[in-house]
Amino acid sequence: MGNEEAVFFSRVLTEMTLSFHIIYATIGVGIPLMIMMAQWVGIKKQDEHYILLARRWTRGYVITVAVGVVTGTAIGLQLSLLWPNFMELAGNVIALPLFMETFAFFFEAIFLGIYLYTWDRFENQKKHLLLLIPVALGASFSAIFITIVNAFMNAPQGFDIVDGHLVNIKPLLAMFNPAMPTKVAHVLVSAYMTSAFVLASIAAFRLLKGSNHLYHKKALFFTMKVGLIFTIATVIIGDFSGKYLAEYQPEKLAAAEWHFETEGKAPLILYGILEDGEVKYALKIPFALSILAHGIPSYEVVGLNDFKKDETPPLYIHYLFDAMVTIGMLMLVLSIAFIAGLWRKWTFISSKWYRSLIVIGGPLSILAIEAGWWLDEVGRQPWVLRGIMKTKDAATSSGQVDTMLILFAGLYIILGIGSIIVLSRMFRKNTIEQELADRVTEEAGELD
Amino acid sequence: MTLEVIGISVLWLFLFGYIIIASIDFGAGFFNAYSLYRGKQHILTKIIQRYLSPVWEVTNVFLVFFFVGIVGFFPKTAYFYGTTLLVPVSIAIILLAIRGSYYAFTTYGGLKQKIYVFLYGVSGLFIPASLSIVISISEGGFVTLEQTGPVLDYLKLFTSPLSWSIVVLSLTAVLYISAVFLTWYADHANDIEATELMRKYSLIWAGPCILTATGIIVEMHGHNHEHYTRLIHLWWLFAFSLILFVGTVYLLWKRIRYGLAFGLLTGQFALAFFAYGISHYPYLLYPHLTIYDGFTNEAMATALIFAFLAGLALLIPSLILLLRLFLFNKEYVQGKQSNHP
């Protein structure tokens, strides 16, 4: 296998691992926060339903954590296995956040184990809440640290290059690079948003399937409310990310927007297709790109034609941008309508078609996460470290990457199918009605 | 002490931690499967499940900690080991992934077929085997530097008596460590039947374990003479290790102080592991890479050590809490509390 093939297969394998991992990782970042909030609301309102909500979510969460942990281990090792030259170079500058990420993960793992196996040990629910805080903190901090690593790849700084060697390293400066604030914030809030909608989607599904239990209605209201808050945050930070790109990574913004000529009063292009360099059937929103890039309609946005041909990302990332933004907007409208409907007593929010939309909302949000990451990662091509190392120079020289690709594909198929089967079995067999009844008999048993 | 030595000592300590707790984990899976095959599963399963459930995730973190740390402190290892280890480490990842998720699927999700218990038990033995290849490679002689980068000579690796001895040692050590730990744990739980069974397994595996360990020193004589000489210089550390081994076996034989027996076993492996590590100094990959030419810059090393200390300040109290709640809580160990998730 020549170098070109090794690079190609390494890219495919990395993309496959990450795309699979982020489904479980995103849920893994957001759900602990939801569990903690549900436990807190349960204590505040003295409502057993919320405490049960926290427990049932945790049970499902353990399965997703397991897959998240093992695929996370896979990508952690694949970084060195597939991109040894990159890790050798970047390890000098970016090892600190990578190292801190394992601490956050460690912290989460310890307290998740404790929380899970002390469910019935303490009478006081506040103790259970205290155990959930480090779980949620650990989950969010591991996302923060690992996103810092990715931000560094987009905006490397904190070192000087002398004769091809990195010298004068400043680890903290490398961590707090320009891409870091928007990226970390966007990753966090979109993970919370996605988790809220995934859980909302489950509640809506149970209601659609005929259970009319109050528990599901409370779950739906809780998750849609939380989802709305984080969707608003995601949209606002998404706008900041656009401004970051215009300032520091203009080629990514230009490729995502099919913006060829440098000009002021730039329109934002939504949808459309590209044929022989011509944009067709697109929706053009005047001035919107200038506003996205800098906040003023006359701002001059750098076009793709100003960059070297071999340093611009592929143009298909525009479709990824469209998918991400469209789903974000859709979820915003859907959750606003739900909250407003509750408040104004509109009946359509309990209709079948509306609940079906919420059911689709969960998977759609995950799709938006995937699209967003593909946009971010492919938008960095051809660089692995923007401006410093190209992807083709970073890959392994090993000749067995294609075989490994097949092996890992098999693994992810098994894990994907396995986790779906196990999760659906867990909750289909033990419905909320069943669990509430069991708890009553258990308590009666203790009294005897 | 230089930053390089601090760095490698920290990592070596964590690798040792991983080897002990992962051995318990892998061995437990194997004994569980074996007892199912012999129709003795009812004796062991409960004890094993009660220990493994709260800690399985933590075990994995020790491994992640080690490989993230080594690339952080010694970025050049990514270049040498990353390139050469693609196949063996990928296989280990896949086995770890199937094993870890299978554990969660069965424990929490209720997938309980016999075939999986066997796969789980056997896969646990392949993981140490595929990971121990790294140790063989580090001895040198299997990696050549070509123009495109380092290349691993698989034929040489698979026909080398040294690499096979290391694989066999990893297997016997896993079974021995795990059996001694579970003997103590079962005794702690007042489960006489399980204690007796595990005691028997401990005594069975003690011999092969110490034999293969000695065998490796002999193999080293022919493979890497320089390393062999340094090993012999540290003979007194290995002698202490051997005394601790004898102590463990004696206590097991007399059926007394199983807790102390496990303590002596940990000491035995710690001494041997660190003596091996010290004799390996200064090479990370003989003769291509030493800890000095592969070290990260000073600023990063200092930052990493600070992060490490801060992290430990957070981790040690948490780990102690975990151990107090589960390992040293009699009520929990004996299964007197309902701890179902």
Side-chain angles (χ1 to χ4, degrees):
Chain A
M1 187 170 5
N3 176 258
E4 222 165 90
E5 281 165 306
V7 174
F8 173 75
F9 286 119
S10 296
R11 287 186 60 188
V12 177
L13 179 49
T14 309
E15 179 169 2
M16 190 171 74
T17 304
L18 275 172
S19 301
F20 188 72
H21 175 64
I22 57 173
I23 298 174
Y24 295 87
T26 303
I27 295 173
V29 171
I31 287 190
L33 187 77
M34 306 297 143
I35 296 172
M36 190 181 88
M37 288 196 293
Q39 177 82 9
W40 183 61
V41 172
I43 292 170
K44 245 183 84 179
K45 289 191 174 172
Q46 291 294 317
D47 187 335
E48 198 201 10
H49 282 158
Y50 285 96
I51 306 272
L52 264 182
L53 207 55
R55 290 186 175 192
R56 287 173 67 88
W57 284 345
T58 309
R59 256 187 238 132
Y61 173 64
V62 180
I63 302 294
T64 61
V65 158
V67 180
V69 167
V70 296
T71 52
T73 310
I75 188 64
L77 277 161
Q78 278 177 359
L79 277 180
S80 297
L81 296 174
L82 299 174
W83 310 99
N85 299 321
F86 160 70
M87 285 304 274
E88 187 194 350
L89 186 72
N92 280 304
V93 196
I94 208 68
L96 185 61
L98 216 56
F99 203 52
M100 285 158 91
E101 197 258 354
T102 57
F103 274 116
F105 172 40
F106 219 140
F107 199 49
E108 182 196 346
I110 290 174
F111 281 93
L112 182 65
I114 297 179
Y115 172 71
L116 268 175
Y117 287 90
T118 54
W119 260 359
D120 297 313
R121 225 191 260 197
F122 314 118
E123 269 309 304
N124 189 347
Q125 285 297 332
K126 280 190 186 143
K127 284 192 182 166
H128 299 286
L129 179 65
L130 282 179
L131 289 171
L132 281 168
I133 295 171
V135 179
L137 274 180
S140 292
F141 269 97
S142 50
I144 292 172
F145 291 129
I146 208 66
T147 312
I148 288 178
V149 176
N150 181 269
F152 172 82
M153 295 160 81
N154 279 280
Q157 67 166 31
F159 54 86
D160 297 320
I161 302 179
V162 178
D163 304 329
H165 293 286
L166 305 187
V167 292
N168 298 332
I169 311 252
K170 299 171 196 76
L172 288 179
L173 197 66
M175 279 176 69
F176 293 95
N177 58 68
M180 177 256 179
T182 45
K183 209 173 260 280
V184 166
H186 198 66
V187 164
L188 273 187
V189 290
S190 61
Y192 299 149
M193 165 190 162
T194 304
S195 308
F197 287 134
V198 167
L199 296 172
S201 152
I202 297 169
F205 181 75
R206 298 309 307 174
L207 287 170
L208 258 186
K209 281 280 165 183
S211 167
N212 208 21
H213 205 283
L214 198 56
Y215 168 90
H216 295 304
K217 289 182 181 162
K218 284 177 186 169
L220 190 62
F221 173 58
F222 177 79
T223 49
M224 287 303 277
K225 196 165 63 174
V226 174
L228 172 63
I229 295 167
F230 286 118
T231 311
I232 295 171
T234 306
V235 171
I236 293 172
I237 294 162
D239 179 64
F240 289 153
S241 307
K243 292 181 171 50
Y244 156 78
L245 285 181
E247 182 81 24
Y248 293 95
Q249 252 179 310
E251 75 280 11
K252 190 191 274 184
L253 183 70
E257 290 308 322
W258 288 347
H259 183 67
F260 297 100
E261 297 297 331
T262 301
E263 57 180 4
K265 300 176 187 168
L268 183 78
I269 295 178
L270 275 181
Y271 314 113
I273 53 167
L274 199 62
E275 269 180 10
D276 315 320
E278 292 267 320
V279 180
K280 284 185 181 165
Y281 316 112
L283 195 67
K284 278 191 184 174
I285 311 171
F287 311 117
L289 185 59
S290 287
I291 294 173
L292 176 74
H294 205 72
I296 43 173
S298 61
Y299 183 76
E300 192 167 274
V301 183
V302 187
L304 265 183
N305 294 348
D306 284 16
F307 296 96
K308 276 193 232 161
K309 272 270 170 295
D310 61 343
E311 290 184 7
T312 53
L315 291 173
Y316 74 82
I317 62 173
H318 174 71
Y319 303 113
L320 301 170
F321 179 82
D322 283 347
M324 174 182 78
V325 170
T326 309
I327 294 172
M329 291 301 157
L330 194 81
M331 295 315 291
L332 187 67
V333 173
L334 205 66
S335 49
I336 288 179
F338 184 83
I339 303 298
L342 269 180
W343 179 45
R344 303 301 303 260
K345 301 209 164 44
W346 292 333
T347 49
F348 79 85
I349 59 163
S350 358
S351 68
K352 274 206 162 156
W353 66 267
Y354 192 77
R355 281 180 177 161
S356 316
L357 281 181
I358 299 178
V359 172
I360 305 167
L364 271 184
S365 306
I366 289 180
L367 203 66
I369 294 278
E370 296 280 1
W373 271 114
W374 292 330
L375 163 69
D376 182 64
E377 295 299 280
V378 180
R380 179 161 46 97
Q381 291 308 316
W383 301 104
V384 63
L385 274 179
R386 183 181 177 268
I388 294 170
M389 185 186 247
K390 289 207 169 157
T391 308
K392 64 179 167 55
D393 302 319
T396 178
S397 53
S398 172
Q400 291 99 359
V401 191
D402 47 353
T403 325
M404 295 303 115
L405 178 68
I406 296 168
L407 279 181
F408 276 101
L411 171 71
Y412 301 143
I413 292 172
I414 294 173
L415 292 184
I417 294 175
S419 57
I420 292 170
I421 292 178
V422 167
L423 278 172
S424 55
R425 261 178 50 150
M426 265 168 98
F427 291 99
R428 203 170 292 151
K429 269 167 95 184
N430 186 14
T431 59
I432 184 66
E433 288 84 356
Q434 182 68 41
E435 185 158 358
L436 279 167
D438 286 350
R439 287 183 74 81
V440 172
T441 26
E442 237 173 67
E443 272 160 32
E446 273 170 29
L447 287 176
D448 284 341
Chain B
M1 202 152 53
T2 58
L3 286 174
E4 287 88 344
V5 176
I6 297 177
I8 196 71
S9 309
V10 163
L11 292 172
W12 206 239
L13 189 70
F14 263 82
L15 187 60
F16 177 69
Y18 178 69
I19 285 179
I20 294 293
I21 56 172
S23 296
I24 296 175
D25 185 333
F26 296 144
F30 175 78
F31 288 125
N32 194 25
Y34 180 71
S35 64
L36 176 72
Y37 169 71
R38 297 286 305 269
K40 291 179 180 167
Q41 205 201 13
H42 56 282
I43 305 175
L44 287 185
T45 299
K46 266 195 211 133
I47 287 284
I48 288 173
Q49 286 272 343
R50 220 175 286 142
Y51 164 73
L52 283 184
S53 299
V55 301
W56 67 269
E57 224 190 329
V58 179
T59 310
N60 210 44
V61 191
F62 273 86
L63 176 67
V64 177
F65 195 102
F66 175 74
F67 71 69
V68 169
I70 197 159
V71 176
F73 277 107
F74 305 97
K76 265 214 163 64
T77 52
Y79 176 69
F80 281 99
Y81 284 110
T83 311
T84 47
L85 288 175
L86 179 70
V87 177
V89 174
S90 290
I91 291 172
I93 301 173
I94 289 172
L95 289 172
L96 275 171
I98 291 180
R99 210 173 164 272
S101 47
Y102 162 77
Y103 185 78
F105 290 176
T106 50
T107 312
Y108 310 104
L111 274 187
K112 285 192 172 62
Q113 271 101 3
K114 261 192 180 183
I115 173 81
Y116 293 123
V117 180
F118 284 119
L119 286 177
Y120 183 74
V122 174
S123 68
L125 295 184
F126 281 112
I127 296 167
S130 57
L131 287 177
S132 66
I133 288 180
V134 182
I135 302 280
S136 323
I137 290 174
S138 79
E139 289 304 330
F142 303 116
V143 172
T144 47
L145 279 183
E146 314 257 307
Q147 204 174 6
T148 48
V151 175
L152 179 62
D153 188 340
Y154 281 99
L155 185 70
K156 219 168 164 187
L157 183 71
F158 284 119
T159 51
S160 152
L162 176 71
S163 58
W164 284 108
S165 315
I166 291 176
V167 167
V168 176
L169 173 66
S170 74
L171 292 180
T172 53
V174 158
L175 295 172
Y176 178 54
I177 293 172
S178 181
V180 176
F181 174 83
L182 289 170
T183 310
W184 170 64
Y185 194 76
D187 182 56
H188 199 51
N190 288 340
D191 189 333
I192 296 165
E193 231 183 326
T195 313
E196 276 304 305
L197 189 61
M198 288 319 302
R199 173 184 167 272
K200 199 175 87 191
Y201 292 155
S202 305
L203 291 171
I204 289 174
W205 285 106
C209 180
I210 204 76
L211 264 178
T212 43
T214 322
I216 288 194
I217 299 184
V218 179
E219 292 295 337
M220 203 71 91
H221 177 79
H223 188 85
N224 180 341
H225 199 74
E226 200 181 324
H227 191 178
Y228 172 77
T229 332
R230 281 196 302 268
L231 271 174
I232 295 305
H233 271 292
L234 293 167
W235 67 270
W236 52 281
L237 279 174
F238 290 105
F240 267 125
S241 174
L242 189 68
I243 293 170
L244 295 180
F245 169 77
V246 174
T248 312
V249 175
Y250 176 78
L251 293 174
L252 286 170
W253 186 258
K254 288 276 175 191
R255 290 196 175 81
I256 46 169
R257 311 283 303 273
Y258 290 130
L260 181 64
F262 182 67
L264 294 183
L265 170 127
T266 315
Q268 174 213 333
F269 276 91
L271 281 175
F273 190 70
F274 280 90
Y276 172 79
I278 294 165
S279 68
H280 212 289
Y281 175 86
Y283 291 104
L284 289 169
L285 173 60
Y286 182 87
H288 304 295
L289 186 64
T290 69
I291 65 171
Y292 296 101
D293 50 35
F295 199 55
T296 185
N297 58 86
E298 201 167 305
M300 180 52 80
T302 321
L304 284 177
I305 289 169
F306 267 109
F308 176 72
L309 290 176
L312 276 193
L314 202 69
L315 278 185
I316 290 176
S318 323
L319 274 173
I320 290 175
L321 181 67
L322 183 78
L323 293 180
R324 281 180 56 132
L325 282 171
F326 300 109
L327 208 52
F328 298 113
N329 185 307
K330 277 235 160 181
E331 295 250 301
Y332 173 78
V333 176
Q334 294 173 3
K336 285 183 185 155
Q337 276 171 342
S338 67
N339 292 290
H340 57 85

